[in-house]
Amino acid sequence: MSAPTAPSPTAAGSGRNATERFAEKQRSTAQVDHARVSAIATNAITALHEVIREHRVTYAEYDALKAWLIRVGEDGEWPLFLDVWVEHVVEEVANADRKGAVGTIEGPYYIPGSPEFRSEGTLPMRDGEAGTPFVFQGTVTDLEGNPLDDARVELWHADDDGFYSQFAPGIPEWNLRGTILTGPDGRFAFTTVKPAPYQIPTDGSCGALIAAAGWHAWRPAHLHLKVSAPGKQLVTTQLYFAGGQHVEDDVAQAVKPELVLRPTPAASGTGEEVTYDFALDPA
Ligand code: MBD
Ligand code: FE
């Protein structure tokens, strides 16, 4: 049932949703290492001082910054801002020692608890969901290539308009979100539709920064994944489509060569399919 007059999402709408979701997920930070906070905060603030000196930042520019920072909070766009312009370096540092499947940023639109399937399933979608039918399949293994039983493969992605369920209005709750639990063969097969490129909302504070700087607002079409198994490290990653728009200039700088898929026409005769395997590092 696709709503014929789906309201169009606003930055404030999806930003607020992302901010609320983040607040729910955030655990209390019991331990504070004062020495680390001091070192990191001092370096960050000093780096900003250097930028001000280098560019001889004016009071007008300082006030514009203050106004913009206030607006990011009002729009609820801190998760969006941080995940687009900062997270990729946190991910790089966090996963530097990994041997198996390559990770990348999570972004602001993950929701735990999506509908579960055993070995194969079709993601929840609307009647006549737009987009090329697409089968995404593979095997979850350990680093030696042994299939992993009871691995969890969580998949979520935008629709053909670039919108995510539970963040843009008018989309059924679990649309294009699902989890497959593998059997002893480690295999999973999702049936879905190919997502479209994603545009950062242009009507909010992040959009205002992009417009003011003359940048573009696009991420390439992508699948989001979390893959885990008992006794193994969880991998959070994304997969992209070779030759797709903005694969070479993702605004979030989250594309890596290992993450680019080359789907082929499906054996069934409709749509496309691709096989991608995940080797998980020991926990
Ligand atoms: C997205 O869909 C996304 O994946 C990231 C990282 C940032 C904004 C929107
Ligand atoms: Fe995304």
Side-chain angles (χ1 to χ4, degrees):
M1 293 199 309
S2 77
T5 55
S8 91
T10 62
S14 50
R16 215 174 340 269
N17 289 343
T19 296
E20 278 166 20
R21 288 293 179 168
F22 180 75
E24 285 164 19
K25 126 175 171 185
Q26 185 63 351
R27 309 164 301 286
S28 68
T29 39
Q31 219 112 44
V32 175
D33 181 336
H34 298 295
R36 252 183 99 71
V37 174
S38 176
I40 294 166
T42 299
N43 277 11
I45 292 165
T46 305
L48 183 56
H49 298 164
E50 282 313 310
V51 171
I52 293 165
R53 288 197 185 96
E54 183 181 342
H55 296 277
R56 304 181 64 83
V57 168
T58 65
Y59 260 101
E61 288 163 342
Y62 177 61
D63 285 344
L65 172 65
K66 258 193 213 174
W68 183 79
L69 290 171
I70 291 165
R71 190 170 161 209
V72 177
E74 288 170 352
D75 291 346
E77 283 200 346
W78 279 118
L80 180 66
F81 172 80
L82 289 165
D83 294 351
V84 168
W85 283 291
V86 180
E87 188 187 354
H88 68 98
V89 187
V90 180
E91 191 280 329
E92 171 192 315
V93 170
N95 297 329
D97 296 333
R98 240 191 214 146
K99 309 255 181 315
V102 171
T104 190
I105 65 177
E106 174 172 322
Y109 301 141
Y110 170 65
I111 313 251
S114 64
E116 290 183 2
F117 308 89
R118 216 359 114 178
S119 297
E120 57 180 60
T122 299
L123 290 189
M125 64 178 83
R126 296 160 284 191
D127 288 345
E129 184 77 41
T132 305
F134 182 55
V135 173
F136 173 69
Q137 61 192 349
T139 305
V140 185
T141 71
D142 63 16
L143 291 184
E144 288 73 46
N146 305 302
L148 294 176
D149 192 7
D150 254 337
R152 294 178 68 83
V153 183
E154 293 181 80
L155 172 64
W156 72 102
H157 64 82
D159 67 13
D160 192 56
D161 294 320
F163 298 137
Y164 286 86
S165 58
Q166 300 191 44
F167 293 93
I171 303 177
E173 186 174 24
W174 292 106
N175 211 59
L176 304 178
R177 297 175 181 271
T179 301
I180 286 182
L181 295 157
T182 66
D185 63 0
R187 292 190 43 76
F188 65 88
F190 287 100
T191 300
T192 184
V193 294
K194 287 175 81 180
Y198 177 88
Q199 186 179 28
I200 306 298
T202 51
D203 62 324
S205 41
C206 291
L209 170 62
I210 287 168
W215 302 335
H216 78 73
W218 290 92
R219 300 213 58 223
H222 55 280
L223 306 173
H224 287 274
L225 290 132
K226 282 184 182 284
V227 183
S228 60
K232 300 289 181 275
Q233 286 183 42
L234 177 148
V235 173
T236 299
T237 194
Q238 299 183 26
L239 297 168
Y240 308 91
F241 300 94
Q245 290 179 323
H246 300 295
V247 170
E248 308 294 332
D249 64 348
D250 178 10
V251 63
Q253 298 181 59
V255 179
K256 304 179 186 183
E258 300 87 344
L259 302 178
V260 180
L261 301 172
R262 298 186 171 278
T264 55
S268 69
T270 355
E272 300 177 13
E273 64 187 14
V274 76
T275 298
Y276 191 89
D277 300 329
F278 296 91
L280 301 186
D281 285 70

